[in-house]
Amino acid sequence: MGFIGSGYIGSTIARLAIEAGHQVVLSNSRGPETLADTAAKLGPRASAATRGEAAAAGDIVVVTVPVKAFPTLTAAPLAGKTVIDTCNYGPERDGHIPELDSESLTSSELLLRYMPDAMVVKAFNNIFFKHLLSLARQAGAADRSYLPIAGDSAPAKAAVTAFIESIGYSVVDAGPLADSWRQATDTPVWGDPIRAVLGREGPAGRRGHHSRSTGRRNAVTAGRGMGPTVL
């Protein structure tokens, strides 16, 4: 696993990956020396490198940076790679980006413009990093949570699904990258593990709207006692 960005969500995913037996290569915009302590705390399966080295090293590469940093990413090492995009757009942090403000693109589709030969899968953007760490469960556990993913490549989605399942979560397919807005900021599944959302809803119930022009309701829902479905 390569990591471009090693903040709260990146380092949490890295910790879960290591506990599941994966090797991780961490990077950030400031250089590997600034990640020495983080790598040491994660143990011998973790190392720090430049962003290009982390991208080249990973079978799967996690991009977890502010959306405004997308133009600084180098596309070449990510060509042909499965890339997990954890990023959420926030104009107050990222500045206003016209395509995202108008909702003509999702942030993942914007990321794909900067790395057109990568296979981008949206994941981990709807869950608080502390919940991500504390809610991981073994397969078959009654209280195991689901995480949504979205992407256009079936092989990449399969690889990300296998990874997520290895670190303690089940997966629900939320559709293509164009539908990744369904798990973005201010949707009903954002900041709230899907298991918890399901527990508050009535049979086949839904709650909330997203402002996207389609006018469709929230991304992922299910009746009690049933598997999640995509609407």
Side-chain angles (χ1 to χ4, degrees):
M1 303 289 299
F3 287 79
I4 298 177
S6 301
Y8 290 132
I9 194 71
S11 59
T12 301
I13 297 170
R15 178 174 169 180
L16 291 170
I18 288 168
E19 290 174 355
H22 301 280
Q23 297 279 134
V24 304
V25 182
L26 306 173
S27 73
N28 61 20
S29 61
R30 294 171 294 151
E33 65 281 356
T34 66
L35 290 168
D37 288 344
T38 301
K41 289 177 183 177
L42 289 172
R45 290 183 180 272
S47 61
T50 66
R51 292 199 294 185
E53 290 167 343
D59 298 318
I60 297 175
V61 180
V62 179
V63 172
T64 177
V65 300
V67 171
K68 66 182 179 182
F70 286 178
T72 70
L73 301 175
T74 303
L78 296 166
K81 300 263 185 174
T82 294
V83 171
I84 297 176
D85 167 26
T86 78
C87 311
N88 285 309
Y89 172 54
E92 68 286 348
R93 177 196 62 194
D94 299 312
H96 285 279
I97 300 173
E99 298 95 329
L100 302 185
D101 287 340
S102 68
E103 298 177 344
S104 60
L105 285 180
T106 65
S107 59
S108 289
E109 291 174 305
L110 180 65
L111 177 63
L112 190 60
R113 287 189 171 183
Y114 291 102
M115 48 185 71
D117 296 320
M119 297 176 289
V120 175
V121 177
K122 191 76 164 188
F124 296 110
N125 68 304
N126 75 305
I127 187 168
F128 183 48
F129 75 95
K130 290 184 179 179
H131 296 164
L132 179 62
L133 184 61
S134 66
L135 292 174
R137 298 289 188 272
Q138 294 293 321
D143 60 346
R144 185 162 155 117
S145 297
Y146 285 81
L147 294 177
I149 67 170
D152 298 333
S153 166
K157 286 167 101 170
V160 173
T161 294
F163 170 67
I164 291 174
E165 289 179 342
S166 79
I167 65 170
Y169 290 85
S170 296
V171 171
V172 61
D173 188 336
L177 282 184
D179 282 346
S180 59
W181 61 269
R182 293 172 177 268
Q183 64 204 65
T185 307
D186 294 332
T187 59
V189 298
W190 178 73
D192 198 351
I194 289 176
R195 175 179 55 80
V197 172
L198 300 186
R200 287 199 300 271
E201 300 202 3
R206 310 175 201 177
R207 64 189 179 99
H209 286 79
H210 187 273
S211 60
R212 186 133 169 136
S213 59
T214 59
R216 290 175 290 187
R217 284 181 180 257
N218 64 288
V220 183
T221 188
R224 285 197 180 100
M226 300 170 60
T229 56
V230 177
L231 300 184

